[in-house]
Amino acid sequence: MKNENNSKKPSLRQKAEMQLKKNSSTTGFPLSGTDALKLLHELRVNQIELEMQNEELRLAIEQSDILNRNYSDLLNFTSIPYYKLSREGEIVDLNLSGAKLLGKGFLVLINSLFGFFLSDDSKPVFSNFLNKVITNKSSDWCEVTMPIEGSTQQSYFYVSGKADESGEKCHITMVDITGQKYADRALKESEQRFSLFMNHLPALVFIKDSETKVIYVNKSIDVALGASKWLGLKASEIFDKETAEKILIDDNITLKTGYQNIEESFLNLDGKVHHYETQKFVIPRSGQNPLIGGIAIDITERKQAERSLQEIIDNNPMSIQIVDSNGFTLKVNQAFKLLYGSVPPSVTQFSMIFS
C-alpha cells in the first residue's frame, strides 16, 4: 500500500510541467512562433550561463580544497608551534609541532587550557595578552616561560598572537628563544664581571679608538684624573699643547709597534703631580680598526723613594757603586767619582783597573 501511494506521487519534473502550464494559462494569450523562438533562445543562453557558472563554482571548490589541504599540510608540518585558542584560553586547534611542544597527544590537548602548560609567573602575563588581543581584535606579542621536565631551568618563548574575524578566537605561534635568553644572560654576567674587575682594579685603565679618542675609562682613572670627562675626546681636547703632542706621538708609536712602556706625569684631582708607568698596547679587532689599550700604575711613591735613596748615596762620604745582576754599573756616588776618577762599566773591569 505504501509503495502504491509513492508511485502516485508526482515527480519533480511533473510538478515543473504543471507549474509551467499554470503560468502559461495566466498570460491570457498564446506565444507566437517568433516569441517562442526568442524565449527558447533566451532559455538556452541562460542554461549555458548556469552551466558555466556551475563549472566555475566546481573549479573554485576544487581549488579551495587544494589550498585547504596545502594550508593544512603547511600548518601541520611546520616546525613552528601553532594554536587556536578560545577567549577562555582553551585549545581549539593546533598543529603537530604544537602538540610535540606540550608533550601530549593531539586529541588530548583539544579543549585543554593552554595556560596550564606555562610557568606560574607567566600565567598572568599570557592571560592579559590573550584578553587584550581578543578584546581589541588586534595582534600583539609577549614572552612566556615553560618548565623543563626534570630540570630547574625553564624554556623561553616569544608568543605572537592575532584575533580572528569573529573576535572570539586567537591564533598564536611560538618561537623558542631559550638559547638567545641564556646567551644574553651569560653576556650580561660577563659584562658585570668585567665591570666589577675594572672598577676595583687599582691600576688606571683606558681604551682609545684608532683616532686616539678615549672610549673607555675605569673607576680608578676617573677618581684620580676625572677621566670620565675625557670620553669621546682626543688628547688635544683634554691637555695642554705640549702634553697632548707627547701623548699623540706615544699613541701613534703604539699603533705602529704594538707596545710601549713609558713614564709620564699628570696633575691629579688632589692637586699633586703624580708619576705613572704606563703600558700601551694594540687591541686588534677582526674586520675593524684596532684599539689602543692602556694600563697606568702610580709610581709616585717609588719615585720619591728613589730620590731619597739617591740623596743618601750622594751624601755618603764612602764611595758607592751599584751594579745589576750581571755586574754592570747602574749608579755611583760623588765620593766614588772623586776617589777613582772614572766610572767603570762593570765590576770586572773595575777590578782589572785597580788590581
Side-chain angles (χ1 to χ4, degrees), residues 96-111:
L96 296 176
S97 295
K100 183 179 180 180
L101 175 62
L102 301 184
K104 302 288 184 180
F106 184 90
L107 296 177
V108 174
L109 291 169
I110 296 296
N111 296 326

Side-chain angles (χ1 to χ4, degrees), residues 336-348:
F336 186 98
K337 294 177 182 178
L338 292 174
L339 180 61
Y340 299 107
S342 63
V343 181
S346 69
V347 174
T348 303

Side-chain angles (χ1 to χ4, degrees), residues 41 46 53 101 145 167 218 227 235 237 253 259 261 273-274 304 313-314 332:
H41 173 75
N46 288 339
Q53 289 176 357
L101 175 62
T145 57
N218 74 339
E237 301 171 285
I253 292 174
Y259 178 80
N261 192 332
V273 174
H274 286 245
Q304 291 173 347
I313 293 173
D314 288 341
V332 295

Side-chain angles (χ1 to χ4, degrees), residues 284-300:
R285 296 189 297 172
S286 177
Q288 300 183 67
N289 291 329
L291 303 175
I292 301 173
I295 301 177
I297 299 175
D298 192 329
I299 58 172
T300 304

Side-chain angles (χ1 to χ4, degrees), residues 11 22 37-38 42 87 101 111 117 126 141 159 162 166 174 202 216 264 323 333 337:
S11 66
K22 181 179 178 181
L37 289 174
K38 288 183 178 179
E42 187 67 25
R87 180 181 288 272
L101 175 62
N111 296 326
F117 300 93
F126 182 78
W141 65 273
V159 181
K162 181 177 177 60
S166 70
M174 300 179 67
Y216 172 81
E264 50 193 351
V323 297
N333 66 350
K337 294 177 182 178

Side-chain angles (χ1 to χ4, degrees), residues 191-228:
E191 290 174 344
Q192 288 176 341
R193 286 193 296 268
F194 173 80
S195 180
L196 286 171
F197 175 78
M198 283 297 179
N199 287 330
H200 288 83
L201 186 69
L204 282 58
V205 179
F206 60 87
I207 300 176
K208 298 180 181 181
D209 63 17
S210 58
E211 297 179 351
T212 71
K213 290 181 180 179
V214 179
I215 60 173
Y216 172 81
V217 295
N218 74 339
K219 184 177 180 180
S220 294
I221 193 172
D222 186 38
V223 171
L225 300 169
S228 58

Side-chain angles (χ1 to χ4, degrees), residues 123-162:
K123 290 178 181 178
V125 174
F126 182 78
S127 178
N128 292 335
F129 155 80
L130 182 62
N131 181 65
K132 180 180 177 182
V133 170
I134 292 182
T135 301
N136 297 335
K137 295 184 179 180
S138 61
S139 58
D140 206 345
W141 65 273
C142 69
E143 287 187 10
V144 298
T145 57
M146 298 177 67
I148 299 176
E149 188 175 355
S151 173
T152 57
Q153 295 184 329
Q154 302 181 91
S155 295
Y156 293 80
F157 294 89
Y158 175 92
V159 181
S160 177
K162 181 177 177 60

